[in-house]
Amino acid sequence: QVQLVESGGGLVQAGGSLRLSCAASGRTFSNYAMGWFRQAPGKEREFVATINWSGGRTYYGDSVKGRFTISRDNAKNMVYLQMNALKPEDTAVYYCAARGTGSRSTTDRSYDYWGQGTQVTVSS
């Protein structure tokens, strides 16, 4: 089992920045690829970013490319999502997820463990 707890969400004005954190506990964190997804009210869950086990490979959804950065610190069992140039359409609940292989994935069904989510609200 892997437990994931997100933090860092909040209310920010358009153009601002937030950094989300995800703390992992349980099995060996460095064995897992990690991902961030988001879900806005009335919409399907959307892929945001993913990072492989070492942190050497990342991949982003088109809507956040160039604005968001995913990173991880295996020594601290943490994964981060730095969000810059935020837009009102970034408003959603953001979820951290762990995948039981070390390789990245954009598909939510391929992730084994999920956090409870943290709300991000961007005002115009």
Side-chain angles (χ1 to χ4, degrees):
Q1 283 281 2
V2 175
Q3 292 79 42
L4 302 172
V5 179
E6 302 96 335
S7 62
L11 174 63
V12 63
Q13 288 189 335
S17 298
L18 280 175
R19 188 176 83 152
L20 304 184
S21 299
C22 175
S25 60
R27 296 192 175 182
T28 307
F29 177 68
S30 59
N31 288 346
Y32 291 81
M34 301 296 294
W36 286 96
F37 292 79
R38 67 186 183 186
Q39 189 165 20
K43 295 188 177 182
E44 293 188 352
R45 189 157 53 191
E46 177 189 12
F47 165 73
V48 175
T50 182
I51 189 166
N52 75 329
W53 67 274
S54 69
R57 294 182 180 269
T58 59
Y59 188 77
Y60 298 90
D62 287 342
S63 61
V64 306
K65 204 170 294 183
R67 299 188 298 123
F68 291 11
T69 302
I70 188 171
S71 62
R72 66 189 296 162
D73 185 339
N74 286 344
K76 295 182 178 179
N77 286 7
M78 297 290 295
V79 64
Y80 306 99
L81 185 68
Q82 178 67 43
M83 305 186 295
N84 298 330
L86 282 161
K87 305 174 181 180
E89 51 264 44
D90 294 318
T91 295
V93 177
Y94 283 71
Y95 297 92
C96 171
R99 185 164 185 260
T101 74
S103 59
R104 301 164 295 168
S105 175
T106 64
T107 306
D108 57 359
R109 291 189 304 275
S110 69
Y111 286 81
D112 303 296
Y113 303 101
W114 292 81
Q116 294 297 310
T118 186
Q119 176 70 48
V120 171
T121 303
V122 184
S123 62
S124 57

Coordinates of all heavy atoms in Angstrom, one line a residue, residues 7-75:
S7 N -1.1 18.6 -0.6 CA -1.2 19.9 0.1 C -0.8 21.0 -0.8 O -0.2 20.7 -1.9 CB -0.4 19.9 1.4 OG 1.0 19.7 1.1
G8 N -1.1 22.2 -0.4 CA -0.6 23.4 -1.2 C -1.7 24.1 -2.0 O -1.4 25.1 -2.6
G9 N -2.9 23.5 -2.1 CA -3.9 24.1 -2.8 C -4.4 25.4 -2.2 O -4.0 25.7 -1.0
G10 N -5.2 26.1 -2.9 CA -5.8 27.4 -2.3 C -6.4 28.3 -3.4 O -6.6 27.8 -4.5
L11 N -6.6 29.5 -3.0 CA -7.2 30.5 -3.9 C -6.1 31.4 -4.4 O -5.3 32.0 -3.6 CB -8.3 31.3 -3.2 CG -8.9 32.5 -3.9 CD1 -9.6 32.0 -5.2 CD2 -9.8 33.2 -3.0
V12 N -6.0 31.7 -5.7 CA -5.0 32.5 -6.3 C -5.6 33.3 -7.4 O -6.5 32.8 -8.1 CB -3.7 31.7 -6.7 CG1 -4.1 30.7 -7.8 CG2 -2.6 32.6 -7.1
Q13 N -5.0 34.5 -7.7 CA -5.5 35.3 -8.8 C -4.9 34.7 -10.1 O -3.8 34.2 -10.1 CB -5.1 36.7 -8.6 CG -6.0 37.4 -7.5 CD -5.8 38.9 -7.5 OE1 -4.7 39.4 -7.9 NE2 -6.7 39.6 -7.0
A14 N -5.6 35.0 -11.2 CA -5.0 34.6 -12.5 C -3.7 35.2 -12.7 O -3.4 36.4 -12.3 CB -6.0 35.1 -13.6
G15 N -2.7 34.5 -13.2 CA -1.4 34.9 -13.4 C -0.5 34.5 -12.3 O 0.8 34.7 -12.4
G16 N -1.0 34.1 -11.2 CA -0.3 33.8 -10.0 C 0.3 32.3 -10.0 O 0.2 31.6 -11.1
S17 N 0.9 31.9 -8.9 CA 1.6 30.6 -8.9 C 1.2 29.9 -7.6 O 0.9 30.5 -6.6 CB 3.1 30.8 -8.9 OG 3.6 31.4 -10.1
L18 N 1.2 28.6 -7.7 CA 1.1 27.7 -6.5 C 2.0 26.5 -6.7 O 2.3 26.2 -7.8 CB -0.4 27.2 -6.4 CG -1.5 28.1 -5.8 CD1 -2.8 27.4 -5.9 CD2 -1.2 28.5 -4.4
R19 N 2.4 26.0 -5.5 CA 3.1 24.7 -5.6 C 2.4 23.7 -4.8 O 2.2 23.9 -3.6 CB 4.6 24.9 -5.1 CG 5.4 23.6 -5.3 CD 6.8 23.7 -4.9 NE 7.0 23.4 -3.5 CZ 8.2 22.9 -3.0 NH1 9.2 22.6 -3.8 NH2 8.3 22.7 -1.7
L20 N 2.0 22.6 -5.5 CA 1.3 21.5 -4.8 C 2.4 20.5 -4.4 O 3.4 20.3 -5.1 CB 0.3 20.8 -5.7 CG -0.8 21.7 -6.3 CD1 -1.7 20.9 -7.1 CD2 -1.5 22.5 -5.2
S21 N 2.2 19.9 -3.2 CA 3.0 18.9 -2.7 C 2.2 17.6 -2.5 O 1.1 17.6 -2.2 CB 3.7 19.3 -1.4 OG 4.5 20.4 -1.6
C22 N 2.9 16.5 -2.6 CA 2.3 15.2 -2.4 C 3.3 14.4 -1.6 O 4.4 14.0 -2.0 CB 1.9 14.5 -3.7 SG 1.3 12.8 -3.5
A23 N 2.9 14.0 -0.4 CA 3.7 13.2 0.5 C 3.3 11.7 0.4 O 2.1 11.4 0.6 CB 3.6 13.7 2.0
A24 N 4.2 10.9 0.2 CA 4.0 9.5 0.0 C 4.5 8.7 1.2 O 5.6 9.0 1.7 CB 4.6 8.9 -1.3
S25 N 3.8 7.7 1.6 CA 4.3 6.8 2.7 C 3.9 5.3 2.3 O 3.0 5.1 1.5 CB 3.7 7.2 4.0 OG 2.3 7.1 4.0
G26 N 4.6 4.4 2.9 CA 4.3 3.0 2.6 C 5.5 2.4 1.9 O 6.6 2.4 2.4
R27 N 5.2 1.8 0.8 CA 6.2 1.0 0.0 C 7.3 2.0 -0.6 O 7.1 3.2 -0.6 CB 5.6 0.2 -1.0 CG 4.7 -0.9 -0.4 CD 4.3 -1.9 -1.4 NE 3.5 -3.0 -0.8 CZ 3.1 -4.1 -1.4 NH1 3.3 -4.2 -2.7 NH2 2.4 -5.0 -0.8
T28 N 8.3 1.4 -1.1 CA 9.4 2.1 -1.6 C 9.0 3.1 -2.7 O 8.6 2.7 -3.8 CB 10.5 1.2 -2.2 OG1 10.8 0.2 -1.2 CG2 11.7 2.0 -2.6
F29 N 9.1 4.4 -2.3 CA 8.5 5.4 -3.2 C 9.3 5.5 -4.5 O 8.6 5.7 -5.6 CB 8.7 6.8 -2.4 CG 8.3 8.0 -3.2 CD1 7.0 8.2 -3.5 CD2 9.3 8.9 -3.7 CE1 6.6 9.3 -4.3 CE2 8.9 10.0 -4.4 CZ 7.5 10.2 -4.7
S30 N 10.5 5.2 -4.5 CA 11.3 5.3 -5.8 C 11.0 4.2 -6.8 O 11.4 4.3 -7.9 CB 12.8 5.3 -5.5 OG 13.2 4.2 -4.8
N31 N 10.2 3.3 -6.4 CA 9.8 2.2 -7.3 C 8.6 2.7 -8.2 O 8.3 2.1 -9.2 CB 9.3 1.0 -6.6 CG 10.4 0.2 -6.0 OD1 11.6 0.5 -6.3 ND2 10.1 -0.7 -5.1
Y32 N 8.0 3.8 -7.9 CA 6.8 4.2 -8.5 C 6.9 5.5 -9.4 O 7.6 6.4 -9.0 CB 5.7 4.6 -7.4 CG 5.2 3.4 -6.6 CD1 6.0 2.9 -5.6 CD2 4.0 2.8 -6.9 CE1 5.5 1.8 -4.8 CE2 3.6 1.7 -6.2 CZ 4.3 1.2 -5.2 OH 3.9 0.1 -4.5
A33 N 6.3 5.4 -10.5 CA 6.1 6.6 -11.3 C 4.9 7.4 -10.6 O 4.1 6.8 -10.0 CB 5.7 6.3 -12.7
M34 N 4.9 8.7 -10.8 CA 3.9 9.5 -10.2 C 3.2 10.4 -11.2 O 3.8 10.7 -12.2 CB 4.6 10.4 -9.1 CG 5.3 9.7 -8.0 SD 4.2 8.6 -7.0 CE 3.2 9.9 -6.2
G35 N 2.0 10.7 -10.9 CA 1.2 11.6 -11.8 C 0.4 12.6 -11.0 O 0.1 12.4 -9.8
W36 N 0.1 13.7 -11.7 CA -0.9 14.6 -11.2 C -2.1 14.6 -12.2 O -1.9 14.7 -13.4 CB -0.4 16.0 -11.1 CG 0.6 16.2 -9.9 CD1 1.9 16.1 -9.9 CD2 0.2 16.5 -8.6 NE1 2.4 16.4 -8.7 CE2 1.4 16.6 -7.8 CE3 -1.0 16.7 -7.9 CZ2 1.4 16.9 -6.5 CZ3 -1.0 17.0 -6.6 CH2 0.2 17.1 -5.9
F37 N -3.3 14.6 -11.7 CA -4.5 14.7 -12.4 C -5.4 15.8 -11.8 O -5.2 16.2 -10.7 CB -5.3 13.4 -12.5 CG -4.6 12.3 -13.2 CD1 -3.5 11.6 -12.7 CD2 -5.0 12.0 -14.5 CE1 -2.9 10.6 -13.4 CE2 -4.3 11.0 -15.2 CZ -3.3 10.3 -14.7
R38 N -6.4 16.3 -12.5 CA -7.3 17.2 -12.0 C -8.7 17.0 -12.5 O -8.9 16.4 -13.5 CB -6.8 18.7 -12.3 CG -6.9 19.0 -13.8 CD -6.3 20.4 -14.0 NE -6.5 20.8 -15.4 CZ -5.9 21.9 -15.9 NH1 -5.2 22.7 -15.1 NH2 -6.1 22.2 -17.2
Q39 N -9.7 17.4 -11.7 CA -11.1 17.3 -12.1 C -11.8 18.5 -11.7 O -11.9 18.9 -10.5 CB -11.7 16.0 -11.4 CG -13.1 15.7 -11.9 CD -13.5 14.3 -11.6 OE1 -13.0 13.7 -10.7 NE2 -14.5 13.8 -12.3
A40 N -12.4 19.2 -12.7 CA -13.2 20.3 -12.4 C -14.7 19.9 -12.3 O -15.1 18.8 -12.8 CB -13.1 21.3 -13.6
P41 N -15.5 20.7 -11.7 CA -16.9 20.3 -11.5 C -17.6 20.0 -12.9 O -17.5 20.8 -13.8 CB -17.5 21.5 -10.8 CG -16.4 22.2 -10.1 CD -15.2 21.9 -11.0
G42 N -18.3 18.9 -13.0 CA -19.0 18.5 -14.2 C -18.1 18.1 -15.3 O -18.6 17.8 -16.4
K43 N -16.8 17.9 -15.1 CA -15.9 17.4 -16.1 C -15.2 16.1 -15.7 O -15.2 15.8 -14.5 CB -14.9 18.5 -16.4 CG -15.4 19.8 -17.0 CD -14.3 20.7 -17.4 CE -14.9 22.0 -18.1 NZ -13.8 22.9 -18.5
E44 N -14.7 15.4 -16.7 CA -14.0 14.2 -16.4 C -12.6 14.6 -15.9 O -12.1 15.7 -16.1 CB -13.8 13.4 -17.7 CG -15.1 12.9 -18.3 CD -14.9 11.9 -19.4 OE1 -13.8 11.8 -19.9 OE2 -15.9 11.3 -19.8
R45 N -12.0 13.6 -15.2 CA -10.7 13.7 -14.7 C -9.7 13.9 -15.9 O -9.8 13.2 -16.9 CB -10.3 12.5 -13.8 CG -9.0 12.7 -13.1 CD -9.0 11.8 -11.9 NE -9.2 10.4 -12.2 CZ -9.5 9.5 -11.2 NH1 -9.4 9.8 -10.0 NH2 -9.7 8.3 -11.6
E46 N -8.8 14.8 -15.7 CA -7.9 15.2 -16.8 C -6.4 15.0 -16.4 O -6.0 15.3 -15.2 CB -8.1 16.7 -17.1 CG -7.1 17.2 -18.2 CD -7.2 18.8 -18.3 OE1 -7.8 19.4 -17.4 OE2 -6.7 19.3 -19.3
F47 N -5.6 14.4 -17.2 CA -4.2 14.3 -17.0 C -3.5 15.6 -17.0 O -3.7 16.5 -17.9 CB -3.6 13.4 -18.1 CG -2.1 13.4 -18.1 CD1 -1.3 12.8 -17.1 CD2 -1.4 14.1 -19.1 CE1 0.0 12.9 -17.2 CE2 -0.1 14.2 -19.2 CZ 0.7 13.5 -18.2
V48 N -2.6 15.8 -16.0 CA -1.8 17.0 -15.9 C -0.4 16.8 -16.2 O 0.2 17.4 -17.1 CB -2.0 17.7 -14.5 CG1 -1.1 18.9 -14.4 CG2 -3.5 18.0 -14.3
A49 N 0.3 15.9 -15.4 CA 1.7 15.7 -15.6 C 2.1 14.3 -15.0 O 1.4 13.8 -14.1 CB 2.5 16.8 -14.9
T50 N 3.2 13.8 -15.5 CA 3.7 12.5 -14.9 C 5.2 12.6 -14.9 O 5.8 13.3 -15.7 CB 3.2 11.3 -15.7 OG1 3.6 10.1 -15.2 CG2 3.6 11.4 -17.2
I51 N 5.8 11.8 -14.0 CA 7.2 11.7 -13.8 C 7.6 10.3 -13.6 O 6.9 9.6 -12.8 CB 7.7 12.7 -12.7 CG1 9.2 12.8 -12.7 CG2 7.1 12.2 -11.4 CD1 9.7 14.0 -11.8
N52 N 8.7 9.9 -14.1 CA 9.2 8.5 -13.9 C 9.8 8.3 -12.6 O 10.0 9.2 -11.8 CB 10.1 8.0 -15.1 CG 11.5 8.6 -15.0 OD1 11.7 9.7 -14.5 ND2 12.4 7.8 -15.5
W53 N 10.3 7.1 -12.3 CA 10.7 6.8 -10.9 C 12.0 7.6 -10.5 O 12.1 7.9 -9.4 CB 11.1 5.3 -10.9 CG 12.3 4.9 -11.7 CD1 12.3 4.6 -13.1 CD2 13.7 4.9 -11.3 NE1 13.6 4.4 -13.5 CE2 14.4 4.5 -12.4 CE3 14.3 5.1 -10.1 CZ2 15.8 4.4 -12.4 CZ3 15.7 5.0 -10.0 CH2 16.4 4.6 -11.1
S54 N 12.8 7.9 -11.5 CA 14.0 8.6 -11.1 C 13.9 10.2 -11.2 O 14.7 10.9 -10.7 CB 15.2 8.2 -12.1 OG 14.9 8.7 -13.4
G55 N 12.8 10.6 -11.8 CA 12.7 12.0 -12.0 C 13.3 12.5 -13.3 O 13.2 13.7 -13.6
G56 N 13.9 11.6 -14.1 CA 14.6 12.0 -15.3 C 13.7 12.2 -16.5 O 14.1 12.8 -17.5
R57 N 12.5 11.7 -16.4 CA 11.6 11.9 -17.5 C 10.2 12.4 -17.0 O 9.7 11.9 -16.1 CB 11.4 10.5 -18.2 CG 12.6 10.0 -18.9 CD 12.4 8.7 -19.6 NE 13.5 8.2 -20.3 CZ 13.9 8.5 -21.5 NH1 13.1 9.3 -22.3 NH2 15.0 7.9 -22.1
T58 N 9.7 13.4 -17.7 CA 8.5 14.0 -17.4 C 7.6 14.1 -18.7 O 8.1 14.0 -19.8 CB 8.6 15.4 -16.8 OG1 9.3 16.2 -17.7 CG2 9.4 15.3 -15.5
Y59 N 6.3 14.3 -18.5 CA 5.4 14.5 -19.6 C 4.2 15.3 -19.1 O 3.8 15.1 -18.0 CB 5.0 13.2 -20.2 CG 4.2 13.4 -21.5 CD1 4.9 13.6 -22.7 CD2 2.8 13.2 -21.5 CE1 4.2 13.8 -23.9 CE2 2.2 13.4 -22.7 CZ 2.8 13.6 -23.9 OH 2.2 13.8 -25.1
Y60 N 3.7 16.2 -20.0 CA 2.7 17.1 -19.5 C 1.5 17.1 -20.5 O 1.6 16.9 -21.7 CB 3.2 18.6 -19.5 CG 4.3 18.7 -18.5 CD1 5.7 18.6 -18.9 CD2 4.1 19.0 -17.2 CE1 6.7 18.7 -17.9 CE2 5.1 19.2 -16.2 CZ 6.4 19.0 -16.6 OH 7.4 19.1 -15.7
G61 N 0.3 17.4 -19.9 CA -0.8 17.6 -20.7 C -0.7 18.9 -21.5 O 0.0 19.9 -21.1
D62 N -1.3 19.0 -22.7 CA -1.2 20.1 -23.6 C -1.6 21.4 -22.9 O -1.1 22.5 -23.2 CB -2.0 19.9 -24.8 CG -1.4 18.9 -25.8 OD1 -0.2 18.6 -25.6 OD2 -2.1 18.4 -26.6
S63 N -2.6 21.4 -22.1 CA -3.2 22.6 -21.5 C -2.3 23.2 -20.4 O -2.5 24.4 -20.0 CB -4.6 22.3 -20.8 OG -4.4 21.3 -19.8
V64 N -1.3 22.5 -19.9 CA -0.4 23.0 -18.9 C 1.0 23.1 -19.3 O 1.9 23.6 -18.6 CB -0.5 22.2 -17.6 CG1 -2.0 22.0 -17.1 CG2 0.1 20.8 -17.8
K65 N 1.3 22.6 -20.5 CA 2.7 22.5 -21.0 C 3.3 23.9 -21.0 O 2.7 24.9 -21.5 CB 2.7 21.9 -22.4 CG 4.1 21.3 -22.8 CD 3.9 20.5 -24.0 CE 3.0 19.3 -23.8 NZ 2.9 18.4 -25.1
G66 N 4.5 24.1 -20.5 CA 5.2 25.4 -20.4 C 4.8 26.2 -19.2 O 5.5 27.2 -19.0
R67 N 3.8 25.8 -18.5 CA 3.4 26.6 -17.3 C 3.6 25.8 -16.0 O 3.9 26.4 -14.9 CB 1.9 27.0 -17.4 CG 1.6 27.8 -18.6 CD 0.1 28.4 -18.5 NE -0.8 27.3 -18.6 CZ -1.8 27.0 -17.7 NH1 -1.9 27.8 -16.6 NH2 -2.6 26.0 -17.8
F68 N 3.4 24.5 -16.1 CA 3.5 23.6 -14.9 C 4.8 22.8 -15.0 O 5.3 22.4 -16.1 CB 2.3 22.6 -14.8 CG 1.0 23.3 -14.5 CD1 0.8 24.7 -14.5 CD2 -0.1 22.5 -14.2 CE1 -0.4 25.2 -14.2 CE2 -1.3 23.0 -13.8 CZ -1.5 24.4 -13.9
T69 N 5.4 22.4 -13.8 CA 6.5 21.6 -13.7 C 6.4 20.6 -12.6 O 6.1 20.9 -11.5 CB 7.8 22.4 -13.4 OG1 8.0 23.4 -14.4 CG2 9.0 21.5 -13.4
I70 N 6.5 19.3 -13.0 CA 6.5 18.2 -12.0 C 7.9 17.9 -11.6 O 8.8 17.9 -12.4 CB 5.7 17.0 -12.6 CG1 5.5 16.0 -11.5 CG2 6.4 16.4 -13.8 CD1 4.5 14.8 -11.9
S71 N 8.1 17.5 -10.3 CA 9.4 17.1 -9.9 C 9.2 16.2 -8.7 O 8.1 16.1 -8.1 CB 10.2 18.3 -9.5 OG 9.6 19.0 -8.4
R72 N 10.3 15.5 -8.3 CA 10.2 14.6 -7.1 C 11.5 14.6 -6.4 O 12.5 14.9 -6.9 CB 9.8 13.2 -7.6 CG 10.9 12.5 -8.4 CD 10.3 11.2 -9.0 NE 10.0 10.2 -8.0 CZ 9.2 9.2 -8.2 NH1 8.6 9.0 -9.4 NH2 8.9 8.3 -7.2
D73 N 11.3 14.2 -5.1 CA 12.5 14.1 -4.2 C 12.4 12.7 -3.6 O 11.6 12.6 -2.6 CB 12.5 15.2 -3.2 CG 13.8 15.2 -2.3 OD1 14.4 14.1 -2.2 OD2 14.1 16.2 -1.7
N74 N 13.1 11.7 -4.1 CA 12.9 10.4 -3.6 C 13.4 10.2 -2.2 O 13.0 9.4 -1.4 CB 13.6 9.4 -4.5 CG 12.8 9.2 -5.8 OD1 11.6 9.5 -5.9 ND2 13.4 8.6 -6.8
A75 N 14.4 11.1 -1.8 CA 14.9 11.0 -0.4 C 13.8 11.4 0.6 O 13.9 11.0 1.8 CB 16.1 11.9 -0.3

